[in-house]
Amino acid sequence: MFTRITVDPAQMGGVLCIRGFRIPMTTVVSMVAQGMKPQEILDAYPDLEDEDVWESPRYAAEAVRVRELPIRRP
């Protein structure tokens, strides 16, 4: 289902990365969340491909959907 997100315990302490690069998935998700356009992200990380930019937030959304995270209630 998610072919562009990789994890290697010997690389970056097992942080989820994009296609084995040393580019954390969370970096891309943060850039999308900050409103950066896909082309701006690709310009910042030339090794990435368009689908990498789109798969990262999809993965993050699925991770949150399948796991309840603690939230602060008013």
Side-chain angles (χ1 to χ4, degrees), residues 21-52:
F21 293 120
R22 298 178 72 81
I23 302 170
M25 183 212 58
T26 56
T27 298
V28 178
V29 171
S30 294
M31 295 170 95
V32 170
Q34 292 172 18
M36 290 183 71
K37 293 179 170 71
Q39 190 56 53
E40 293 174 310
I41 298 169
L42 296 173
D43 290 344
Y45 291 95
D47 289 328
L48 294 182
E49 297 173 356
D50 194 54
E51 186 56 31
D52 299 325

Side-chain angles (χ1 to χ4, degrees), residues 1-2 5-6 10 18-19 27 33 46-47 49-50 53-54 59 65 70-71:
M1 181 173 184
F2 297 101
I5 309 299
T6 58
I18 308 295
R19 291 186 294 121
T27 298
D47 289 328
E49 297 173 356
D50 194 54
V53 174
W54 296 114
Y59 181 94
R65 187 185 74 73
I71 57 172

